[in-house]
Amino acid sequence: IEGSSYTWELLNPAPIEFEAQAAEPSDRFPRLLFTAIPPAGVAPKVVSFSSWDQFAARYSRDIAPLSEPDEAIKREAARAAADLDWFAKVRAIAVLVRNDVRYVSKAFGTAGYIPRASGETFSSLWGDCKDKGTLLRAMLTSQGIESYVTLIGMNGRYNASDRVAVNSRFDHFIVAVVV
């Protein structure tokens, strides 16, 4: 410990030997998770969250404007959902986004967490899970169907900690529909 800096070292770790059905080598080393919350009155240089509720509220607030449907999205959603019951509308819109928008992975920088605006995804017809999910939400919203974002960890390597709210635990964005 030196001032407010802490240093940890892992010296001479045991070699990792292959074992059938064993955890990934990266999961066999210890991890240190932390969040830095600055003193009162000091603006943070990096956003930290003291709870998952705080993380969810901030993420929802930041991406909400991106799923606002423009006129082209409203027209296409109305066309896809014309004369259908509620469940059939949800399915038709989901199938449209699944089939007509090409999946392109963008897992770097802020593109790893923040989707493009729904109109941009709709006009380009490509996007990653966040982009496609944001477009899906815009189309559903235009039809009066309530939905929300669910972030999940698909790779199975990380579990979300109850104590440390960090977005690096998630690698996939899906949409849940309120029934």
Side-chain angles (χ1 to χ4, degrees):
I1 300 174
E2 184 177 315
S4 62
S5 296
Y6 297 80
T7 302
W8 289 268
E9 289 184 52
L10 179 62
L11 300 174
N12 303 317
I16 297 176
E17 297 179 20
F18 174 79
E19 292 179 43
Q21 306 295 318
E24 291 291 320
S26 61
D27 289 335
R28 296 160 89 187
F29 282 105
R31 286 195 176 90
L32 174 66
L33 291 175
F34 68 94
T35 184
I37 299 175
V42 175
K45 292 182 179 168
V46 175
V47 177
S48 296
F49 304 100
S50 59
S51 70
W52 285 111
D53 287 342
Q54 186 184 48
F55 169 83
R58 172 68 182 266
Y59 189 75
S60 295
R61 184 195 78 208
D62 288 353
I63 68 167
L66 303 174
S67 57
E68 288 294 322
D70 62 21
E71 290 306 314
I73 288 171
K74 290 176 186 176
R75 276 192 309 276
E76 187 63 16
R79 185 199 61 74
D83 301 320
L84 299 176
D85 65 32
W86 189 91
F87 281 104
K89 282 182 183 186
V90 171
R91 184 178 193 286
I93 292 170
V95 167
L96 183 148
V97 172
R98 180 194 69 195
N99 291 348
D100 293 358
V101 180
R102 184 171 50 103
Y103 179 84
V104 177
S105 179
K106 303 181 311 172
F108 55 88
T110 57
Y113 297 104
I114 304 297
R116 294 184 305 149
S118 57
E120 186 179 340
T121 301
F122 184 65
S123 65
S124 68
L125 294 178
W126 67 268
D128 67 1
C129 59
K130 296 173 302 303
D131 301 332
K132 291 178 78 157
T134 300
L135 175 58
L136 175 59
R137 290 191 69 219
M139 290 186 153
L140 292 170
T141 297
S142 77
Q143 294 299 300
I145 299 169
E146 186 180 355
S147 66
Y148 57 93
V149 171
T150 302
L151 297 175
I152 59 176
M154 290 291 293
N155 65 18
R157 291 180 43 203
Y158 303 116
N159 293 319
S161 166
D162 290 338
R163 296 183 189 159
V164 182
V166 291
N167 59 0
S168 62
R169 295 298 185 214
F170 307 109
D171 59 4
H172 202 53
F173 177 119
I174 63 173
V175 175
V177 177
V178 177
V179 178

